Amino acid sequence: MSEPTEATEAAEATEAAVRAEKLDAGDELADLRARFVLDDVVYLDGNSLGALPVSVPGHLDDVVRRQWGSLRIRSWDESGWWTAPERIGDRIAPLVGAAAGQIVVGDSTSVNVFKALVGAVRLARLTDSGRDEIVVDATTFPTDGYMAESAARMTGCTLRPVTPARVRGALGGRTAAVLLNHVDYRTGRLHDLPSLTSAVHAAGAVAVWDLCHSAGALPVGLDEHGVDLAVGCTYKYLNGGPGSPAYLYVRRELQDRFDSPLPGWNSHAEPFGMRPDYEPAAGAPRGRVGTPDILSMLALEAALDVWDGVTIEAVRAKSLNLTDFFLECVGQYVAEGRVESLTPAAHEERGSQVALRCEDAGEVMRRLIERGVVGDFRRPDVLRFGFTPLYVGFGDVERAARVLGEVLAG
């Protein structure tokens, strides 16, 4: 094959740019970009930290100046601080396919993974005390692995790391709980939540899902697929801000049996009774621990306003179109063999990011950022690009791929 000429490259660039313009013109979600604080940078790192919604600064100003500054402690009642964990959980619920009353917001993802996993083992042992294995995704984000190891020590279980493809073969009569990621953080691979949950249940075990890289990007269907427990962060596709609180989902049918390893005064049935004996609250509040982190929690609540009138199905459709178009543009602009996509081509196996293996990936990402295209780098050789359909457009995608091609050629 002959090398492309400058004229050919220019024609391809023009063709892709024209196509991007047409796709943006037909984008039903395009107007949502105005709900965020953005500049002329192509921001493709929303899978690490979502952009700032315009509603957050003003709301936080009210929280700090009026609610905290003037009302002070009265705000626990008058401003609804006390009920924020459940109220905000109910706003997240439709985005992950859950009915109200099953999600509580608070603590970090790591803490919630620990609560969910130990709680899952305890649930499994209510019907079979001999279950003494925890199966965990061997390719998981490190914190899930660390927490799974700690949960195994606490419950006297053996930890069994396996790849998601081998989970079914690893299940058996000793399996108590299974911790899996809905979307792989490195590759963007979407795992089959419905069938894997069904397999876990068929083995008599409890399914725990980490939704950090799927909530707000694609349909999850927690209730529909009978997921037992789930956790997720809120600072990625939910745009809650750096360090915004995570959440814990406990399926309604399991709530009266969920035994958290971190009982706190906030999850007590009578939190202000100050009793020395612990009695768990009914429903989702038993997933609480200590005093809610009100400032970051209420920033998250304001951030969720961007979802008003938006369906997760429309977001998913645009996400797939964005990632398809990016891969097509990379194919046009990047010399053959220079990058390798780790993200599955099949829609049913793809989240909302594209991961490219690339020599000198760290240096390449540094140069991309210098030229106004922000993604991120994962050691040793992965370029990650996250596509948040609420504010990323097709023109952004074309520009990102074109600049990537120029950087790699330079």
Side-chain angles (χ1 to χ4, degrees):
M1 180 183 294
S2 60
E3 291 292 322
T5 64
E6 290 186 8
T8 301
E9 291 174 344
E12 288 178 343
T14 301
E15 179 185 349
V18 169
R19 188 174 170 211
E21 188 175 350
K22 290 180 179 179
L23 288 168
D24 279 329
D27 176 16
E28 64 178 287
L29 302 182
D31 291 345
L32 298 178
R33 185 182 177 92
R35 299 183 183 183
F36 294 87
V37 177
L38 294 165
D39 48 27
D40 62 352
V41 167
V42 176
Y43 189 64
L44 301 181
D45 208 6
N47 54 329
S48 286
L49 176 65
L52 172 66
V54 297
S55 60
V56 171
H59 183 68
L60 267 184
D61 185 72
D62 177 72
V63 171
V64 171
R65 296 180 185 276
R66 183 182 65 85
Q67 297 180 29
W68 180 16
S70 298
L71 294 177
R72 293 179 286 276
I73 201 165
R74 291 161 53 195
S75 278
W76 285 105
D77 293 321
E78 295 180 26
S79 300
W81 288 3
W82 184 260
T83 57
E86 293 76 44
R87 181 177 72 245
I88 301 171
D90 285 347
R91 293 193 65 183
I92 292 172
L95 302 179
V96 292
Q102 299 175 102
I103 293 179
V104 64
V105 174
D107 305 312
S108 66
T109 304
S110 302
V111 172
N112 281 312
V113 166
F114 183 75
K115 287 189 285 188
L117 206 47
V118 174
V121 173
R122 292 174 175 176
L123 283 167
R125 286 177 173 171
L126 289 175
T127 54
D128 185 348
S129 61
R131 293 188 177 268
D132 62 357
E133 281 190 352
I134 295 174
V135 173
V136 64
D137 178 357
T139 61
T140 189
F141 188 76
T143 195
D144 286 23
Y146 305 155
M147 288 297 166
E149 183 179 1
S150 181
R153 290 199 307 269
M154 182 175 184
T155 57
C157 284
T158 299
L159 187 63
R160 190 171 182 187
V162 298
T163 62
R166 296 180 179 274
V167 164
R168 291 175 180 82
L171 301 173
R174 294 179 58 187
T175 310
V178 181
L179 173 62
L180 296 169
N181 291 274
H182 197 192
V183 173
D184 185 278
Y185 81 100
R186 281 193 189 88
T187 67
R189 178 179 290 277
L190 173 64
H191 295 130
D192 191 344
L193 181 147
S195 69
L196 285 170
T197 299
S198 179
V200 171
H201 288 166
V206 177
V208 182
W209 284 91
D210 182 329
L211 310 179
C212 285
H213 287 269
S214 59
L218 52 91
V220 177
L222 293 178
D223 287 353
E224 177 186 358
H225 303 303
V227 170
D228 302 306
L229 303 164
V231 303
C233 65
T234 61
Y235 47 78
K236 300 182 190 297
Y237 297 110
L238 298 183
N239 311 294
S244 57
Y247 56 90
L248 170 68
Y249 164 90
V250 181
R251 184 158 56 88
R252 193 180 309 280
E253 294 81 0
L254 301 176
Q255 289 177 357
D256 62 346
R257 289 170 284 156
F258 178 69
D259 182 8
S260 173
L262 298 175
W265 77 283
N266 258 236
S267 62
H268 199 287
E270 193 181 340
F272 293 97
M274 304 302 166
R275 289 160 38 191
D277 57 312
Y278 180 74
E279 179 186 349
R286 69 171 52 194
R288 294 171 68 153
V289 184
T291 304
D293 43 351
I294 290 299
L295 296 183
S296 58
M297 189 168 291
L298 296 186
L300 166 63
E301 184 171 32
L304 291 171
D305 289 346
V306 301
W307 289 94
D308 290 349
V310 181
T311 67
I312 198 66
E313 289 75 20
V315 167
R316 176 58 169 167
K318 182 178 176 181
S319 164
L320 291 172
N321 289 334
L322 287 169
T323 48
D324 277 344
F325 187 52
F326 181 70
L327 288 169
E328 291 173 17
C329 289
V330 168
Q332 287 185 10
Y333 292 142
V334 177
E336 187 175 352
R338 189 66 176 86
V339 298
E340 172 194 358
S341 178
L342 303 179
T343 303
H347 285 183
E348 64 271 16
E349 297 178 359
R350 186 194 309 165
S352 198
Q353 73 177 53
V354 172
L356 301 177
R357 177 171 285 144
C358 173
E359 186 178 349
D360 299 327
E363 175 62 17
V364 169
M365 183 54 67
R366 185 187 67 78
R367 293 171 62 194
L368 284 172
I369 292 171
E370 286 179 349
R371 295 188 56 178
V373 175
V374 178
D376 68 15
F377 157 62
R378 286 292 179 264
R379 289 182 173 83
D381 57 359
V382 176
L383 301 171
R384 288 197 325 171
F385 301 95
F387 297 83
T388 304
L390 298 182
Y391 54 77
V392 172
F394 293 91
D396 296 323
V397 168
E398 187 274 335
R399 177 181 162 193
R402 175 165 37 85
V403 172
L404 174 62
E406 291 167 0
V407 165
L408 292 175

